[in-house]
Amino acid sequence: MKKIVYYVASSIDGFIAGPNGDISKFQLEGPAVDKYHSDLQSFQTVIMGRNTYEFGYQYGLEPGHPAYPHMKHFIFSNTLEFNVKHDQVQCLELSAGNIEKIRNDSPTDVYLCGGGQFAGWLLEQGLIDTLKLKLNPTVLEGGVRIFGDSKASVKMELIQRESFDKAFDILTYNLS
């Protein structure tokens, strides 16, 4: 069965973005970032919430277009609409059934591209199989938490650790 893989950058204190969506304290280039970009090539399907999709607008993403040209996009929002929509972009209502259908229909594992609230909901539903954490050596002291406001208790098993530049790790966990 294909997995849902939450592949996300985080600060040491568990934030995927600082206040006001600030990601400037995260490593944005170098071998670890190259590894992340390379890993994304193995996915053909991405799921994300509205806030994560719209976050891309400030980096040149055009509304209705794919953030990752080689992936089919499923954006979970009840209100997001586009004047023009690319055939690789679909908006859906958030439900466990929709997530399971995407997982079953995807030719590859599914890339969960943030954000915190959406990931927290998926965690509570038991729908995240793997967490790949790009652990940045910084403390943000606030912002968007990895799993939003979720209080779910989940056991994780570290299955891989890749270290880069003696400061940046990619940690891979299986969730149970």
Side-chain angles (χ1 to χ4, degrees):
M1 180 164 89
K2 287 157 241 118
K3 297 179 179 182
I4 295 179
V5 180
Y6 187 21
Y7 203 155
V8 64
S10 174
S11 63
I12 296 288
D13 55 343
F15 294 94
I16 62 174
N20 301 314
D22 182 17
I23 60 168
S24 65
K25 292 185 180 176
F26 286 148
Q27 187 173 357
L28 301 175
E29 56 185 34
V33 177
D34 294 343
K35 164 79 168 129
Y36 163 70
H37 288 292
S38 174
D39 288 349
L40 288 185
Q41 296 306 307
S42 68
F43 296 100
Q44 293 181 29
T45 306
V46 60
I47 58 175
M48 65 183 78
R50 176 188 183 144
N51 289 340
T52 298
Y53 183 76
E54 290 181 333
F55 181 76
Y57 295 172
Q58 64 187 304
Y59 297 97
L61 177 63
E62 293 182 41
H65 289 261
Y68 305 95
H70 70 284
M71 293 185 212
K72 176 95 174 154
H73 289 55
F74 295 93
I75 303 161
F76 288 87
S77 172
N78 294 330
T79 58
L80 188 60
E81 294 181 14
F82 305 112
N83 292 332
V84 177
K85 184 173 65 69
H86 192 280
D87 62 352
Q88 284 180 242
V89 176
Q90 185 174 353
C91 292
L92 296 173
E93 182 177 313
L94 183 58
S95 74
N98 280 339
I99 299 291
E100 286 294 350
K101 180 167 179 16
I102 291 166
R103 179 201 315 250
N104 292 334
D105 292 349
S106 179
T108 63
D109 287 343
V110 177
Y111 169 44
L112 166 55
C113 179
Q117 287 302 117
F118 181 47
W121 183 87
L122 291 168
L123 184 72
E124 290 171 353
Q125 305 304 309
L127 293 171
I128 299 175
D129 303 293
T130 303
L131 171 63
K132 286 187 74 94
L133 192 63
K134 299 177 289 180
L135 192 58
N136 284 260
T138 189
V139 174
L140 296 180
E141 299 180 22
V144 180
R145 293 204 168 277
I146 291 175
F147 294 107
D149 297 328
S150 175
K151 303 292 185 223
S153 177
V154 177
K155 184 175 178 164
M156 297 184 194
E157 174 190 7
L158 180 65
I159 59 169
Q160 185 176 17
R161 177 186 207 133
E162 300 169 87
S163 294
F164 300 86
D165 302 328
K166 298 182 183 178
F168 186 99
D169 287 336
I170 297 178
L171 307 171
T172 304
Y173 296 90
N174 277 338
L175 279 65
S176 55

